[in-house]
């Protein structure tokens, strides 16, 4: 299973309505991109959480406020390939969100 942001405002991309964004890890020069995976045992549609986030997520992010773009700056992988936000582990109830091999990678 993969990690997806699904509270984005629907947008047309190349003639197809997109209602989500697949999360990937990328190296500094963007030559290697890897799809993030969720821990085995995670349920489809399950919310990704962190101890840092206690409020419920917005039903839909306002694209004019560029919320995801502001958060994205602090999304990275750590030395254990786990995805973090400002150093806090992102996870489902089954475990961490992971990149297959990229350490200290940006999340896009």
């Amino acid at each position: 299973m993969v990690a997806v942001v699904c509270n984005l405002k629907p947008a047309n991309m190349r003639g197809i309505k997109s209602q989500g964004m697949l999360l990937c890890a990328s190296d500094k020069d963007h030559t290697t991109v890897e799809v993030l995976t969720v821990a085995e045992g995670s349920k489809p549609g399950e919310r990704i959480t962190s101890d840092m986030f206690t409020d419920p997520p917005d039903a839909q992010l306002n694209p004019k406020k560029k919320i995801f773009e502001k958060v994205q700056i602090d999304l990275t992988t750590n030395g254990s390939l786990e995805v973090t936000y400002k150093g806090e582990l992102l996870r489902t109830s089954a475990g961490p969100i992971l990149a297959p091999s990229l350490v200290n990678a940006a999340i896009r």
Side-chain angles (χ1 to χ4, degrees):
M1 260 194 291
V2 297
V4 177
V5 176
C6 58
N7 61 342
L8 303 174
K9 183 177 180 182
N12 287 320
M13 298 183 77
R14 297 184 180 169
I16 298 172
K17 186 158 289 219
S18 173
Q19 297 183 337
M21 180 173 49
L22 181 65
L23 293 178
C24 295
S26 175
D27 61 4
K28 288 185 190 328
D29 57 3
H30 307 293
T31 56
T32 304
V33 177
E34 299 177 343
V35 175
L36 299 180
T37 59
V38 296
E40 190 170 329
S42 299
K43 298 176 181 90
E46 184 175 356
R47 183 176 164 204
I48 295 172
T49 62
S50 168
D51 292 337
M52 184 178 282
F53 302 118
T54 56
D55 295 334
D58 295 339
Q60 186 175 84
L61 298 179
N62 183 341
K64 291 181 181 179
K65 292 185 178 181
K66 305 224 179 267
I67 295 167
F68 183 77
E69 291 82 352
K70 292 174 186 172
V71 169
Q72 181 184 14
I73 294 166
D74 294 308
L75 287 170
T76 59
T77 58
N78 63 18
S80 299
L81 307 175
E82 301 162 325
V83 176
T84 65
Y85 175 69
K86 294 186 176 182
E88 291 286 328
L89 188 65
L90 296 184
R91 64 186 183 284
T92 67
S93 63
I97 310 303
L98 298 168
S101 68
L102 293 175
V103 174
N104 300 322
I107 305 302
R108 308 231 182 266

